[in-house]
Amino acid sequence: MEDNFHLDSFKARMSAAHKTPLIAINMGAPGRLSRVLNGFLTPVSHPCLPEVAAPGQMSAAEIWQGLTLLGEVKPLSFYLVGTPISQSRSPALHNSLFQRTGLPHRYELRETNQEIDFRSMLQSDGFGGASVTIPLKQQVTKIVDALTPAAKKIGAVNTVVPLDDHIRDPKCPRRFLGDNTDWKGIVYVLSQKCSVHAKQWLLNTGRWVGGYDARCYLCITLPWDSVQFTFWRGIRTRPNASQQSFRIIMSKF
């Protein structure tokens, strides 16, 4: 254990004298602490490998767990916000990934249709980010401090993350960025080798690939032509909803 303290002192002296990042670790089981604290290009193993490449080598998940125990990684809470969301599989997906990677975070459902609940959640201790769904996607654009270009053009937000200024300096006020990634899901679906009719159905229904506004953004911003699609906005809730048409090219995919 004492060797790890000597190594840490050596790293501090070298870091003060040189700007080049330093990789410094001790070997063997007693040197695992130095691997946890190394911080730059630490060699790691993986549970699927038949054996470790060097004595004392750890997996990335074990290093994250070690950093958490030392208080170097703060547990964060992530949320899916909106309603109805009780059937969402997002918590199972994200929490499984957190567990497998050794991160101490949690992903939870926050069922609400109230802006005040969302504002309160943003200011809660340990807020790490949120996925936003109906009916709050448009309201959130007025709550966050900044929007990505896509979120501005679409006029709706499905992802909120803290900006780095507060993370770097806790004295800075907390600020949040809103993004919209729905259109990326649409591009992925359309890029798959399925029929034109299947792509038309996916665009017109929006099933699994994003909201109406994201579909409109995709169609009016990308240089497509030749194929006509008609989107019916709010057809389930507004019987007299007007239709809007956009021309896109399927041969692009």
Side-chain angles (χ1 to χ4, degrees):
M1 184 64 69
E2 187 176 354
D3 287 343
N4 293 316
F5 298 138
H6 288 316
L7 181 63
D8 192 60
S9 177
F10 168 77
K11 287 170 57 179
R13 294 197 305 272
M14 293 301 101
S15 297
H18 306 280
K19 294 183 179 180
T20 303
L22 177 66
I23 303 173
I25 56 176
N26 287 324
M27 304 298 286
R32 288 184 174 180
L33 178 60
S34 69
R35 293 179 180 273
V36 171
L37 297 177
N38 178 60
F40 179 74
L41 294 181
T42 304
V44 296
S45 181
H46 192 276
C48 292
L49 294 176
E51 58 185 17
V52 296
Q57 199 167 70
M58 307 167 67
S59 69
E62 289 173 328
I63 290 176
W64 282 119
Q65 290 169 351
L67 289 169
T68 300
L69 290 173
L70 292 173
E72 294 295 316
V73 178
K74 180 181 179 180
L76 299 175
S77 295
F78 297 82
Y79 303 92
L80 171 61
V81 188
T83 188
I85 57 174
S86 61
Q87 301 300 314
S88 173
R89 299 178 181 177
S90 291
L93 170 67
H94 289 84
N95 289 325
S96 294
L97 290 172
F98 288 148
Q99 183 178 15
R100 291 178 67 89
T101 55
L103 293 169
H105 311 317
R106 289 291 301 170
Y107 189 99
E108 305 171 10
L109 299 180
R110 183 66 64 88
E111 186 145 1
T112 182
N113 60 1
Q114 300 296 317
E115 289 185 35
I116 188 171
D117 293 334
F118 190 86
R119 292 179 184 273
S120 175
M121 183 190 65
L122 288 181
Q123 299 305 322
S124 62
D125 184 47
F127 173 81
S131 308
V132 184
T133 188
I134 56 173
L136 296 172
K137 285 187 173 185
Q138 293 177 321
Q139 293 93 312
V140 169
T141 61
K142 302 175 183 178
I143 297 175
V144 295
D145 301 284
L147 296 170
T148 63
K152 287 181 181 179
K153 290 186 178 181
I154 295 172
V157 163
N158 77 338
T159 303
V160 174
V161 295
L163 290 170
D164 288 341
D165 47 6
H166 177 76
I167 297 175
R168 289 193 298 265
D169 184 1
K171 295 181 181 179
C172 293
R174 304 183 75 179
R175 300 174 65 245
F176 302 95
L177 174 69
D179 192 10
N180 192 305
T181 60
D182 283 335
W183 68 274
K184 295 180 181 179
I186 299 173
V187 169
Y188 174 79
V189 171
L190 293 177
S191 67
Q192 304 306 297
K193 294 182 179 180
C194 56
S195 68
V196 170
H197 293 295
K199 292 173 180 177
Q200 179 177 2
W201 180 82
L202 286 166
L203 276 171
N204 281 330
T205 63
R207 188 174 298 275
W208 311 121
V209 296
Y212 169 87
D213 294 310
R215 284 175 276 152
C216 294
Y217 167 74
L218 183 70
C219 292
I220 64 178
T221 56
L222 296 183
W224 301 345
D225 54 26
S226 300
V227 178
Q228 185 86 15
F229 284 102
T230 300
F231 299 152
W232 290 87
R233 183 170 192 172
I235 192 169
R236 294 182 180 178
T237 57
R238 295 190 295 276
N240 297 323
S242 61
Q243 66 178 19
Q244 296 189 30
S245 300
F246 302 93
R247 298 178 62 81
I248 68 174
I249 186 169
M250 300 309 300
S251 60
K252 181 180 179 70
F253 303 101

